[in-house]
Amino acid sequence: MSRTAVIGAGPCGLAQLHAFEQARLDGVDVGEVVCFEKQSDWGGLWNYTWRTGLDSHGDPVHGSMYRYLWSNGPKECLEFSDYPFDEHFGGPIPSFPPREVLYDYIVGRAKKSNVRQFIEFDTAVRQVSFDDATQTFTLAIESWTSGESSFRTETFDYVIVATGHFSVPNVPEYPGFESFPGRILHSHDFRDAVEFAGRDLLILGSSYSAEDIALQSLKYGAASVTIAYRNAPMGFGWPDGIAEVPALQHLDGRTAHFADGSVRDVDAIILCTGYQHHFPFIDPALRLTTTNNLYPGGLYKGVVWTANPKLMYLGMQDQYYTFSMFDAQAFVARDVVLGRLPLPGNDTMAADVAAWLGRYAEVASVMEQIDFQTDYVRDLMTLTDYPAFDLDMVRQHFVTWEHDKDDSITGYRDKSFASPCTGTVGPAPHTTWWDELDDSLARFLKR
Amino acid sequence: MSRTAVIGAGPCGLAQLHAFEQARLDGVDVGEVVCFEKQSDWGGLWNYTWRTGLDSHGDPVHGSMYRYLWSNGPKECLEFSDYPFDEHFGGPIPSFPPREVLYDYIVGRAKKSNVRQFIEFDTAVRQVSFDDATQTFTLAIESWTSGESSFRTETFDYVIVATGHFSVPNVPEYPGFESFPGRILHSHDFRDAVEFAGRDLLILGSSYSAEDIALQSLKYGAASVTIAYRNAPMGFGWPDGIAEVPALQHLDGRTAHFADGSVRDVDAIILCTGYQHHFPFIDPALRLTTTNNLYPGGLYKGVVWTANPKLMYLGMQDQYYTFSMFDAQAFVARDVVLGRLPLPGNDTMAADVAAWLGRYAEVASVMEQIDFQTDYVRDLMTLTDYPAFDLDMVRQHFVTWEHDKDDSITGYRDKSFASPCTGTVGPAPHTTWWDELDDSLARFLKR
């Protein structure tokens, strides 16, 4: 009987446990599957924590989630094809739910497939190494399940890394940071926009975090938000109170100086400068090293570590597709473990990766990125029995969504989309996003 | 030739390098001494960083230092007996200097003894293990000296742990934290009191951090500071704007409820709830596990790991004495390595530890704590050639200082003390601490 370790019980890890369980329900011997989760509960980033910095065990806090986060893409683009939103909520709900609603949905499927029994909570994997002689992995494990810290090692035939890549911030330094009279934080440590009510904020970045935290902060009372970009502005039609300026040069006290010569006095600085793929617990020889992009090298089908195919990584791509892509990947990883998906030789795997990387090098626009990842998911779907959904519809949703954001950055979350699984069209929300301050599930689902 | 690893280049690590260098200058073969420092510069906590949470490598930020920190004890109580303040500053300076002045002093001695050559910066020790067969330690080391991360292992005969114990916060949770609309931080992440100007602060704790951060915050403009204690109030004569209340029970939105039934609306919460002794890089069998107290168990003379005397820990005690105690410990550690200080058998070491613990169990007051640690340092001083200083004077300084704080919590830093090394009495500061907002070295030293 094989032993498989899954590291992390967030969306990827839960997708993996669910995938194994589907096979087991079909009568397949899936061996022993053990999932290690260092947090006390499941859901990964979607398991909100008020903590920042280090957790109660002195470990880096995994969470980057903040209060008042609404999905920034249509929920129909991330729907589980074997567990549609209609099934979970008993009917249609609007297309852009807040965090608690998506958490409820992720956890709902995990409860239905009864996978909690496979998870060891409060348990961190400290080291993963591979023994060539025995062809097994040794995991050094620290656990606090008894209240106190305890250590042990276990051996596994397969290891599936599902620890995400939006937990370890990339934190640049600018001249004057050391004497700035106010808070400087990375978006990883952003928790509650109310903290910045009445304050003048400076945000560095030009991707999703910068966009969303700027809007959140203004919505919850910031006096002004200045967004500094390095290469190009996001260029949305910002509401009054948000402005984009060229790159920050330096700070002099609380005065920020920008590349166009303009200056601005600010009270706090939020670095929306992205995340690192960071796996300090994996032996360097087995460790994925990549920037955040749509096709990290070294992973066959974006999942299998070609240098040692008993090691797999889930969800390491930059993402348009999320939960459904994780599912498609998890079914691939499962079928590799089960021997249902025979892997070609190393040269063939490397050639496949090279072909994808070659195509990726040609991608020049957001629309081409959407097409690229759509084709990647389409390829994954040919490999397993993960239930089909209308991929072309999802692709079109992403295109429409990008246009909606250009039309109205404060209004795009009021739009409705059709489900690629059931066809159900999400109803309009009872309150427009810009006017809705209550992000609770109860409020969102109220008719 | 023996090889000795020193982990950390803060006050303890620098004291250790200095101690070895003093012997080398006397013509002694000290073997090879290598110090590993994960930060890019020396000084440990005294090397201020604006960063919080995780550093540029994704590692926990070591620093707990904040802007506008003035020494909270007389500098005469921490003076290096072989490098007095008079020597460094060329004359007398006031007794309570701000951070930059103490940093300059620490680094000044390290420069004089030319120990920077022994330090590998940007280099973290990931694992320390001991091989019974070879009687050596293996250190797994990660270094970014080339810009990229690289890994190697090295073996050493001795390991001296000097990584401090004020870096990994102890962070309790209270009901309502998850929905508190504002910032919640541990004092480890406190950097600049100006952030809280105009805000109503809640501070949890009743030790040095709570006391100092409450005062700092009010001094730099906080609207009010409420300090909640669990066992007993600090009871100082607080200035208007600071009040102590019994333990926090829960939060309801921004309303804090206390054990005496009182309530208070607050904008931010600072947890001054202490630190953990945390050594995840040391094999569990070699790892010191202790609360923060004046005599951690398992350390002969408070330094030597009795279970394996080739491993030593510096500065792991709770502290009245600081830099001078670290020096006295570092000379002991050095002389163990050099074979000058023969260690008794394990039973004798254990009996010595037990005798100190027995005495410590009887300590019932702050004054007895001061006497206890004075006697501990006095014992250390008998073991090596660390230059003598007037320990009885330092003891009396601590007693006077405690009374000064009771007399005026905002005024005690304006007092002057005599040096136990030179007899020099610090002049009065040109500006009283409560009115001085500029914490720079240049300002402090201005005549």
Short mmCIF file of all heavy atoms in Angstrom, two decimals, chain B residues 71-77 95-96 211 215 234-238 366-367 370 393-418 426 429 433:
data_model
loop_
_atom_site.label_atom_id
_atom_site.label_comp_id
_atom_site.label_asym_id
_atom_site.label_seq_id
_atom_site.Cartn_x
_atom_site.Cartn_y
_atom_site.Cartn_z
N SER B 71 17.06 54.05 26.39
CA SER B 71 17.35 53.03 27.39
C SER B 71 16.39 53.22 28.57
O SER B 71 16.12 54.34 28.99
CB SER B 71 18.80 53.15 27.87
OG SER B 71 19.04 52.19 28.87
N ASN B 72 15.87 52.12 29.09
CA ASN B 72 14.97 52.23 30.24
C ASN B 72 15.68 51.93 31.55
O ASN B 72 15.06 51.89 32.60
CB ASN B 72 13.73 51.34 30.06
CG ASN B 72 14.07 49.87 30.09
OD1 ASN B 72 15.23 49.50 29.98
ND2 ASN B 72 13.06 49.03 30.25
N GLY B 73 17.00 51.71 31.46
CA GLY B 73 17.82 51.57 32.66
C GLY B 73 19.06 52.43 32.49
O GLY B 73 19.40 52.82 31.36
N PRO B 74 19.76 52.73 33.58
CA PRO B 74 20.97 53.54 33.46
C PRO B 74 22.03 52.82 32.63
O PRO B 74 22.25 51.62 32.82
CB PRO B 74 21.46 53.67 34.92
CG PRO B 74 20.32 53.25 35.78
CD PRO B 74 19.49 52.31 34.97
N LYS B 75 22.65 53.54 31.74
CA LYS B 75 23.69 52.93 30.91
C LYS B 75 24.84 52.41 31.76
O LYS B 75 25.54 51.47 31.39
CB LYS B 75 24.21 53.94 29.88
CG LYS B 75 25.12 55.02 30.45
CD LYS B 75 25.60 55.98 29.39
CE LYS B 75 26.83 56.77 29.85
NZ LYS B 75 26.63 57.54 31.10
N GLU B 76 25.00 52.98 32.94
CA GLU B 76 26.08 52.54 33.83
C GLU B 76 25.87 51.10 34.29
O GLU B 76 26.83 50.43 34.70
CB GLU B 76 26.19 53.49 35.03
CG GLU B 76 26.74 54.87 34.68
CD GLU B 76 25.74 55.80 34.01
OE1 GLU B 76 24.53 55.46 33.94
OE2 GLU B 76 26.15 56.89 33.54
N CYS B 77 24.63 50.61 34.22
CA CYS B 77 24.34 49.23 34.65
C CYS B 77 24.68 48.21 33.57
O CYS B 77 24.59 47.01 33.82
CB CYS B 77 22.88 49.10 35.06
SG CYS B 77 22.49 49.98 36.59
N SER B 95 22.90 59.52 31.46
CA SER B 95 22.76 58.11 31.84
C SER B 95 21.73 57.31 31.04
O SER B 95 21.75 56.08 31.06
CB SER B 95 22.42 58.01 33.34
OG SER B 95 23.57 58.32 34.11
N PHE B 96 20.81 57.99 30.36
CA PHE B 96 19.76 57.25 29.64
C PHE B 96 19.78 57.62 28.15
O PHE B 96 19.04 58.48 27.70
CB PHE B 96 18.38 57.55 30.25
CG PHE B 96 18.19 56.97 31.62
CD1 PHE B 96 18.67 57.61 32.75
CD2 PHE B 96 17.56 55.73 31.78
CE1 PHE B 96 18.50 57.06 34.01
CE2 PHE B 96 17.39 55.18 33.04
CZ PHE B 96 17.85 55.85 34.16
N GLU B 211 4.89 49.27 29.63
CA GLU B 211 5.23 50.55 30.26
C GLU B 211 5.81 51.53 29.24
O GLU B 211 5.38 52.68 29.14
CB GLU B 211 6.26 50.26 31.37
CG GLU B 211 6.93 51.45 31.97
CD GLU B 211 8.20 51.01 32.73
OE1 GLU B 211 8.20 49.91 33.33
OE2 GLU B 211 9.20 51.74 32.69
N LEU B 215 4.02 54.95 27.30
CA LEU B 215 4.59 56.29 27.46
C LEU B 215 4.98 56.89 26.11
O LEU B 215 4.66 58.05 25.81
CB LEU B 215 5.81 56.23 28.39
CG LEU B 215 5.51 55.98 29.87
CD1 LEU B 215 6.78 55.66 30.63
CD2 LEU B 215 4.82 57.20 30.49
N MET B 234 0.92 47.93 37.05
CA MET B 234 2.28 48.41 37.30
C MET B 234 2.24 49.47 38.39
O MET B 234 3.16 49.59 39.19
CB MET B 234 2.89 48.94 36.01
CG MET B 234 3.18 47.84 35.00
SD MET B 234 3.82 48.46 33.42
CE MET B 234 2.28 48.85 32.56
N GLY B 235 1.17 50.28 38.38
CA GLY B 235 0.94 51.20 39.49
C GLY B 235 1.81 52.44 39.50
O GLY B 235 1.93 53.08 40.54
N PHE B 236 2.41 52.76 38.37
CA PHE B 236 3.20 54.00 38.33
C PHE B 236 2.28 55.21 38.36
O PHE B 236 1.07 55.10 38.12
CB PHE B 236 4.08 54.04 37.07
CG PHE B 236 5.14 52.97 37.04
CD1 PHE B 236 5.10 51.95 36.10
CD2 PHE B 236 6.18 52.98 37.97
CE1 PHE B 236 6.07 50.95 36.09
CE2 PHE B 236 7.16 51.99 37.96
CZ PHE B 236 7.10 50.97 37.01
N GLY B 237 2.87 56.36 38.62
CA GLY B 237 2.11 57.61 38.57
C GLY B 237 2.02 58.08 37.13
O GLY B 237 2.80 58.91 36.69
N TRP B 238 1.09 57.50 36.41
CA TRP B 238 0.99 57.76 34.97
C TRP B 238 0.59 59.20 34.68
O TRP B 238 -0.19 59.79 35.42
CB TRP B 238 -0.05 56.82 34.35
CG TRP B 238 0.25 55.37 34.51
CD1 TRP B 238 -0.40 54.49 35.32
CD2 TRP B 238 1.29 54.63 33.87
NE1 TRP B 238 0.16 53.23 35.22
CE2 TRP B 238 1.21 53.29 34.34
CE3 TRP B 238 2.30 54.95 32.95
CZ2 TRP B 238 2.08 52.29 33.91
CZ3 TRP B 238 3.16 53.95 32.52
CH2 TRP B 238 3.04 52.64 33.00
N VAL B 366 11.17 42.22 43.66
CA VAL B 366 12.06 42.81 42.67
C VAL B 366 13.45 43.01 43.26
O VAL B 366 14.47 42.72 42.61
CB VAL B 366 11.47 44.15 42.17
CG1 VAL B 366 12.52 44.96 41.42
CG2 VAL B 366 10.27 43.89 41.28
N MET B 367 13.52 43.47 44.49
CA MET B 367 14.83 43.70 45.11
C MET B 367 15.60 42.39 45.25
O MET B 367 16.80 42.34 45.03
CB MET B 367 14.67 44.39 46.47
CG MET B 367 14.06 45.79 46.38
SD MET B 367 14.97 46.89 45.24
CE MET B 367 13.73 48.15 44.92
N ILE B 370 17.02 41.47 41.89
CA ILE B 370 18.25 42.22 41.61
C ILE B 370 19.43 41.58 42.34
O ILE B 370 20.50 41.37 41.75
CB ILE B 370 18.08 43.70 42.03
CG1 ILE B 370 17.06 44.38 41.10
CG2 ILE B 370 19.42 44.44 42.01
CD1 ILE B 370 16.61 45.76 41.58
N MET B 393 28.03 48.63 43.32
CA MET B 393 27.49 49.91 42.84
C MET B 393 26.36 49.67 41.84
O MET B 393 25.31 50.34 41.90
CB MET B 393 28.60 50.75 42.19
CG MET B 393 28.10 52.09 41.68
SD MET B 393 29.31 52.97 40.67
CE MET B 393 30.35 53.71 41.93
N VAL B 394 26.54 48.72 40.95
CA VAL B 394 25.50 48.45 39.96
C VAL B 394 24.23 47.96 40.66
O VAL B 394 23.12 48.41 40.35
CB VAL B 394 25.97 47.41 38.92
CG1 VAL B 394 24.83 47.06 37.96
CG2 VAL B 394 27.17 47.94 38.13
N ARG B 395 24.42 47.08 41.62
CA ARG B 395 23.26 46.61 42.38
C ARG B 395 22.51 47.79 43.00
O ARG B 395 21.29 47.89 42.91
CB ARG B 395 23.72 45.65 43.49
CG ARG B 395 22.58 45.15 44.34
CD ARG B 395 23.01 44.67 45.72
NE ARG B 395 21.85 44.61 46.59
CZ ARG B 395 21.37 45.66 47.25
NH1 ARG B 395 21.95 46.84 47.16
NH2 ARG B 395 20.29 45.52 48.01
N GLN B 396 23.27 48.71 43.60
CA GLN B 396 22.64 49.88 44.23
C GLN B 396 21.95 50.76 43.18
O GLN B 396 20.87 51.30 43.43
CB GLN B 396 23.69 50.67 45.01
CG GLN B 396 23.10 51.87 45.77
CD GLN B 396 21.97 51.45 46.71
OE1 GLN B 396 22.09 50.47 47.46
NE2 GLN B 396 20.84 52.15 46.65
N HIS B 397 22.56 50.87 41.99
CA HIS B 397 21.93 51.63 40.90
C HIS B 397 20.55 51.06 40.56
O HIS B 397 19.59 51.80 40.35
CB HIS B 397 22.80 51.60 39.64
CG HIS B 397 24.00 52.49 39.68
ND1 HIS B 397 24.22 53.41 40.68
CD2 HIS B 397 25.05 52.62 38.82
CE1 HIS B 397 25.36 54.06 40.44
NE2 HIS B 397 25.89 53.59 39.30
N PHE B 398 20.48 49.74 40.46
CA PHE B 398 19.19 49.12 40.13
C PHE B 398 18.13 49.44 41.19
O PHE B 398 16.98 49.73 40.88
CB PHE B 398 19.33 47.60 39.98
CG PHE B 398 19.89 47.17 38.65
CD1 PHE B 398 21.04 46.38 38.58
CD2 PHE B 398 19.26 47.53 37.46
CE1 PHE B 398 21.55 45.97 37.36
CE2 PHE B 398 19.77 47.11 36.24
CZ PHE B 398 20.93 46.33 36.19
N VAL B 399 18.57 49.41 42.44
CA VAL B 399 17.65 49.72 43.54
C VAL B 399 17.18 51.18 43.44
O VAL B 399 15.97 51.47 43.51
CB VAL B 399 18.32 49.44 44.91
CG1 VAL B 399 17.45 49.97 46.06
CG2 VAL B 399 18.59 47.94 45.07
N THR B 400 18.13 52.07 43.25
CA THR B 400 17.80 53.50 43.12
C THR B 400 16.87 53.73 41.92
O THR B 400 15.89 54.48 42.01
CB THR B 400 19.10 54.32 42.93
OG1 THR B 400 19.98 54.03 44.02
CG2 THR B 400 18.80 55.81 42.85
N TRP B 401 17.21 53.10 40.83
CA TRP B 401 16.43 53.23 39.59
C TRP B 401 14.98 52.78 39.80
O TRP B 401 14.04 53.47 39.36
CB TRP B 401 17.12 52.38 38.50
CG TRP B 401 16.38 52.06 37.27
CD1 TRP B 401 16.07 52.92 36.25
CD2 TRP B 401 15.88 50.78 36.88
NE1 TRP B 401 15.41 52.24 35.24
CE2 TRP B 401 15.28 50.92 35.61
CE3 TRP B 401 15.90 49.50 37.46
CZ2 TRP B 401 14.70 49.85 34.92
CZ3 TRP B 401 15.33 48.45 36.77
CH2 TRP B 401 14.73 48.62 35.53
N GLU B 402 14.79 51.68 40.51
CA GLU B 402 13.43 51.21 40.78
C GLU B 402 12.67 52.27 41.60
O GLU B 402 11.50 52.55 41.34
CB GLU B 402 13.43 49.88 41.53
CG GLU B 402 13.93 48.68 40.72
CD GLU B 402 12.89 48.13 39.74
OE1 GLU B 402 11.78 48.69 39.64
OE2 GLU B 402 13.21 47.13 39.06
N HIS B 403 13.34 52.86 42.56
CA HIS B 403 12.70 53.92 43.35
C HIS B 403 12.42 55.15 42.49
O HIS B 403 11.36 55.77 42.61
CB HIS B 403 13.57 54.28 44.56
CG HIS B 403 13.61 53.21 45.60
ND1 HIS B 403 12.46 52.70 46.20
CD2 HIS B 403 14.64 52.51 46.15
CE1 HIS B 403 12.78 51.77 47.07
NE2 HIS B 403 14.11 51.61 47.05
N ASP B 404 13.39 55.49 41.63
CA ASP B 404 13.19 56.65 40.73
C ASP B 404 11.94 56.46 39.86
O ASP B 404 11.19 57.41 39.62
CB ASP B 404 14.40 56.83 39.81
CG ASP B 404 15.62 57.36 40.54
OD1 ASP B 404 15.48 57.82 41.70
OD2 ASP B 404 16.72 57.31 39.94
N LYS B 405 11.76 55.25 39.37
CA LYS B 405 10.59 54.98 38.52
C LYS B 405 9.30 55.15 39.32
O LYS B 405 8.30 55.67 38.80
CB LYS B 405 10.67 53.57 37.93
CG LYS B 405 11.74 53.44 36.86
CD LYS B 405 11.84 52.02 36.30
CE LYS B 405 10.61 51.63 35.52
NZ LYS B 405 10.75 50.29 34.92
N ASP B 406 9.34 54.70 40.57
CA ASP B 406 8.15 54.88 41.41
C ASP B 406 7.89 56.36 41.70
O ASP B 406 6.74 56.79 41.79
CB ASP B 406 8.32 54.11 42.74
CG ASP B 406 8.16 52.61 42.53
OD1 ASP B 406 7.53 52.21 41.53
OD2 ASP B 406 8.68 51.84 43.35
N ASP B 407 8.97 57.12 41.78
CA ASP B 407 8.81 58.56 42.04
C ASP B 407 8.24 59.29 40.83
O ASP B 407 7.39 60.16 40.96
CB ASP B 407 10.16 59.19 42.41
CG ASP B 407 10.62 58.78 43.80
OD1 ASP B 407 9.78 58.25 44.56
OD2 ASP B 407 11.81 58.96 44.11
N SER B 408 8.75 58.93 39.64
CA SER B 408 8.30 59.62 38.44
C SER B 408 8.58 58.77 37.20
O SER B 408 9.73 58.67 36.74
CB SER B 408 8.99 60.98 38.28
OG SER B 408 8.64 61.54 37.02
N ILE B 409 7.53 58.20 36.65
CA ILE B 409 7.73 57.32 35.49
C ILE B 409 8.10 58.13 34.24
O ILE B 409 8.69 57.59 33.31
CB ILE B 409 6.47 56.42 35.27
CG1 ILE B 409 6.79 55.28 34.32
CG2 ILE B 409 5.29 57.25 34.76
CD1 ILE B 409 7.80 54.29 34.84
N THR B 410 7.77 59.42 34.23
CA THR B 410 8.18 60.24 33.09
C THR B 410 9.49 60.98 33.36
O THR B 410 10.07 61.54 32.43
CB THR B 410 7.10 61.30 32.74
OG1 THR B 410 6.85 62.10 33.91
CG2 THR B 410 5.81 60.65 32.30
N GLY B 411 9.96 60.94 34.61
CA GLY B 411 11.14 61.74 34.94
C GLY B 411 12.38 60.93 35.28
O GLY B 411 13.48 61.49 35.38
N TYR B 412 12.24 59.59 35.45
CA TYR B 412 13.39 58.83 35.94
C TYR B 412 14.56 58.82 34.97
O TYR B 412 15.71 58.65 35.36
CB TYR B 412 12.97 57.40 36.33
CG TYR B 412 12.75 56.46 35.16
CD1 TYR B 412 13.81 55.72 34.63
CD2 TYR B 412 11.49 56.29 34.60
CE1 TYR B 412 13.62 54.85 33.56
CE2 TYR B 412 11.29 55.43 33.55
CZ TYR B 412 12.35 54.70 33.02
OH TYR B 412 12.16 53.86 31.98
N ARG B 413 14.26 59.04 33.69
CA ARG B 413 15.34 59.02 32.70
C ARG B 413 16.17 60.32 32.71
O ARG B 413 17.14 60.44 31.95
CB ARG B 413 14.79 58.79 31.29
CG ARG B 413 14.36 57.36 31.01
CD ARG B 413 13.94 57.23 29.54
NE ARG B 413 13.71 55.87 29.09
CZ ARG B 413 12.51 55.32 28.91
NH1 ARG B 413 11.41 55.99 29.21
NH2 ARG B 413 12.40 54.08 28.44
N ASP B 414 15.80 61.26 33.55
CA ASP B 414 16.59 62.49 33.65
C ASP B 414 17.63 62.41 34.76
O ASP B 414 18.39 63.36 34.98
CB ASP B 414 15.65 63.70 33.88
CG ASP B 414 14.58 63.80 32.81
OD1 ASP B 414 14.90 63.48 31.64
OD2 ASP B 414 13.44 64.15 33.13
N LYS B 415 17.67 61.29 35.49
CA LYS B 415 18.61 61.12 36.59
C LYS B 415 20.01 60.74 36.08
O LYS B 415 20.16 60.28 34.95
CB LYS B 415 18.11 60.00 37.52
CG LYS B 415 16.74 60.27 38.13
CD LYS B 415 16.83 61.27 39.26
CE LYS B 415 15.47 61.44 39.94
NZ LYS B 415 15.54 62.38 41.06
N SER B 416 20.98 60.92 36.97
CA SER B 416 22.37 60.58 36.62
C SER B 416 22.93 59.52 37.56
O SER B 416 22.59 59.51 38.75
CB SER B 416 23.25 61.84 36.69
OG SER B 416 22.89 62.75 35.69
N PHE B 417 23.79 58.68 37.00
CA PHE B 417 24.40 57.61 37.78
C PHE B 417 25.92 57.61 37.57
O PHE B 417 26.41 58.12 36.55
CB PHE B 417 23.81 56.26 37.37
CG PHE B 417 22.39 56.09 37.80
CD1 PHE B 417 21.34 56.63 37.05
CD2 PHE B 417 22.07 55.41 38.97
CE1 PHE B 417 20.02 56.49 37.45
CE2 PHE B 417 20.75 55.28 39.39
CZ PHE B 417 19.72 55.81 38.63
N ALA B 418 26.61 57.02 38.54
CA ALA B 418 28.07 56.93 38.44
C ALA B 418 28.48 55.63 37.74
O ALA B 418 27.82 54.60 37.90
CB ALA B 418 28.69 56.97 39.84
N GLY B 426 27.32 60.54 34.99
CA GLY B 426 26.69 61.09 33.78
C GLY B 426 26.11 62.46 34.05
O GLY B 426 25.48 62.67 35.10
N PRO B 429 20.77 65.36 31.18
CA PRO B 429 20.52 65.58 29.75
C PRO B 429 20.16 67.05 29.51
O PRO B 429 19.63 67.71 30.40
CB PRO B 429 19.34 64.66 29.46
CG PRO B 429 18.65 64.49 30.76
CD PRO B 429 19.72 64.56 31.82
N TRP B 433 13.60 63.97 29.21
CA TRP B 433 13.15 62.91 28.31
C TRP B 433 11.71 63.14 27.84
O TRP B 433 11.41 62.94 26.66
CB TRP B 433 13.25 61.55 29.01
CG TRP B 433 12.69 60.45 28.17
CD1 TRP B 433 13.28 59.87 27.08
CD2 TRP B 433 11.41 59.83 28.31
NE1 TRP B 433 12.45 58.91 26.54
CE2 TRP B 433 11.29 58.87 27.28
CE3 TRP B 433 10.35 59.98 29.21
CZ2 TRP B 433 10.15 58.07 27.12
CZ3 TRP B 433 9.22 59.18 29.06
CH2 TRP B 433 9.13 58.25 28.02
#
